[in-house]
Amino acid sequence: MKLKQYLLSQFSNTFFPIFLVLFFITSIIFLVRIASITSVITLNILELGTLYAYNLPNIVFYTMPISFFVAMVITLSKLSSEYELIVITSFGLNPSNILKVFLPITFFISLSLLIISIGLIPKTKYLSHELINQKTKEANFNIKASEFGQKFGDWLIYISKKDDKLYEEVKLFKTQDNGTDQFIIAKNAKLNNDLGNLSFVLKDGKAFYFEKNKINQIDYNVMHINDTLSESKSTSFTNAYAYWKEKIGSDGDVAKFSFYVLTSIFPFISIYLVVAFGYFNPRYEKNRSVAYAIISVVGYYLISDPLTKTIGLFSIPLIIVFWTILSYFVYKLNVKKVY
């Protein structure tokens, strides 16, 4: 038990610095992308923080598999280079038992990555898109006081005074195809932005309907006018299952789903490589574990990316079987037959 705790403590000391460095670098990349959006729309500090929070699942997803796999390899290679693994093996904790020590946490990480990639990322992506869409529509609606020719949806609009989202002496005019004209005046109005759906709340005014032979007038206290041209084209998000069921029909989304699954399970199906790269005798062998780990990560992504785009869902079982057999073969060739 103490040997297991020692191995896990050594792993945690290696994992967290690697993960935090990669997390920080990836966060900067995403923050630059978020900052570029501000050239089109205006975001306050809270909204910038919200967009960053929506990108956290993506950041964790892209940094966790690499940092976890490399950290496990470095942990074992460090123990090997300091002859500690030889001592641990002499106490009965052979490579097979070391695999069993890391197997539960590796399974947990892969399962968590599956939940993040398939469950959380679509949801946060939808929320991020809705926020950007909302702010974009608000930015496009820039009515200036005392200027003619401005539009709110189908309506021509004129205002006498503006204070942020509050307007005074508002006039709206619209001509319909059936020959009916509408003219609305209001003492004041307020612009509402409900998840990108703009609406005017008019107060204390009159509405005139001009037909061919008559004019109708309506006095009102409150009137709501929606911007029909700004209705969002995005579909609502209910749950991850419904999302992937709808999106799985297109080849691009099949490739994305397959890539998410394969990236998530990479640490679990590569556990044999961890021992194969980290287990060596420093007296006779050089420590090339980090180079082997990086080559494995790059090779896995180079295999996964084109196959997910060409054969879609079939790439999942194909790569899982291929990579597991390859990992076990390397483990058996380098470690099992020796130790």
Side-chain angles (χ1 to χ4, degrees):
M1 181 63 69
K2 290 185 178 180
L3 288 176
K4 293 180 180 179
Q5 292 176 351
Y6 178 73
L7 286 174
L8 293 175
S9 66
Q10 290 297 309
F11 166 72
S12 63
N13 292 337
T14 305
F15 166 73
F16 285 106
I18 296 174
F19 173 74
L20 291 176
V21 169
L22 289 178
F23 184 89
F24 177 74
I25 295 173
T26 310
S27 294
I28 291 176
I29 296 173
F30 276 88
L31 285 173
V32 170
R33 290 174 56 185
I34 293 172
S36 65
I37 300 174
T38 59
S39 62
V40 181
I41 59 178
T42 301
L43 298 172
N44 57 38
I45 297 297
L46 180 61
E47 291 164 342
L48 284 172
T50 302
L51 278 180
Y52 174 74
Y54 288 157
N55 282 280
L56 282 177
N58 282 283
I59 297 173
V60 172
F61 173 73
Y62 286 110
T63 55
M64 179 65 75
I66 299 173
S67 56
F68 186 83
F69 175 72
V70 173
M72 284 200 298
V73 172
I74 292 177
T75 299
L76 292 185
S77 65
K78 182 181 178 181
L79 294 174
S80 293
S81 62
E82 296 175 357
Y83 295 93
E84 291 187 51
L85 267 187
I86 296 176
V87 177
I88 291 173
T89 304
S90 66
F91 280 101
L93 206 63
N94 58 28
S96 298
N97 291 327
I98 291 177
L99 280 173
K100 295 177 182 178
V101 172
F102 289 107
L103 190 62
I105 188 173
T106 306
F107 176 78
F108 174 76
I109 289 296
S110 291
L111 181 62
S112 300
L113 288 171
L114 278 173
I115 295 173
I116 290 172
S117 60
I118 298 178
L120 284 180
I121 289 180
K123 177 66 174 180
T124 54
K125 183 180 179 181
Y126 168 79
L127 293 174
S128 179
H129 173 75
E130 287 296 303
L131 176 59
I132 295 173
N133 188 42
Q134 174 184 345
K135 299 302 294 184
T136 301
K137 290 174 181 177
E138 189 173 303
N140 290 336
F141 182 78
N142 187 21
I143 302 298
K144 298 179 181 179
S146 303
E147 287 193 13
F148 295 95
Q150 303 178 95
K151 297 197 71 175
F152 176 72
D154 296 331
W155 296 85
L156 288 171
I157 183 171
Y158 175 86
I159 59 174
S160 298
K161 187 177 180 181
K162 174 185 176 182
D163 183 13
D164 194 17
K165 296 181 181 180
L166 300 177
Y167 305 87
E168 296 182 8
E169 302 299 330
V170 179
K171 285 88 175 176
L172 297 108
F173 179 79
K174 180 172 71 172
T175 299
Q176 295 181 317
D177 295 334
N178 59 6
T180 302
D181 298 332
Q182 299 181 41
F183 180 66
I184 300 175
I185 59 175
K187 289 185 178 180
N188 53 73
K190 180 181 179 182
L191 179 68
N192 288 335
N193 191 338
D194 183 15
L195 299 177
N197 296 315
L198 300 180
S199 65
F200 249 142
V201 180
L202 307 174
K203 295 183 179 180
D204 300 326
K206 299 179 180 180
F208 300 91
Y209 297 88
F210 299 92
E211 297 182 6
K212 188 174 183 179
N213 298 318
K214 61 180 180 179
I215 300 176
N216 296 321
Q217 176 182 333
I218 299 175
D219 296 335
Y220 64 88
N221 293 322
V222 178
M223 178 182 290
H224 295 261
I225 296 180
N226 297 319
D227 181 6
T228 56
L229 297 182
S230 68
E231 292 179 355
S232 176
K233 296 180 180 179
S234 60
T235 58
S236 60
F237 184 94
T238 53
N239 55 64
Y241 174 78
Y243 172 86
W244 288 114
K245 185 179 180 181
E246 178 183 355
K247 297 291 185 179
I248 208 77
S250 61
D251 294 335
D253 287 319
V254 170
K256 186 182 296 183
F257 178 84
S258 303
F259 181 79
Y260 283 165
V261 173
L262 290 171
T263 303
S264 299
I265 65 174
F266 170 72
F268 185 71
I269 64 177
S270 301
I271 192 168
Y272 283 116
L273 292 179
V274 172
V275 180
F277 297 155
Y279 229 102
F280 65 92
N281 192 327
R283 181 175 296 181
Y284 306 108
E285 301 173 81
K286 292 183 178 180
N287 186 357
R288 300 187 178 92
S289 56
V290 176
Y292 292 153
I294 294 175
I295 291 173
S296 299
V297 171
V298 174
Y300 185 82
Y301 282 102
L302 288 178
I303 294 172
S304 300
D305 185 62
L307 285 180
T308 54
K309 293 178 180 178
T310 53
I311 60 176
L313 295 175
F314 294 105
S315 63
I316 297 176
L318 178 64
I319 294 178
I320 289 176
V321 173
F322 168 76
W323 196 258
T324 304
I325 293 175
L326 177 64
S327 301
Y328 182 76
F329 176 77
V330 175
Y331 163 74
K332 185 177 180 180
L333 185 67
N334 295 338
V335 177
K336 189 175 182 180
K337 72 176 185 179
V338 179
Y339 299 94

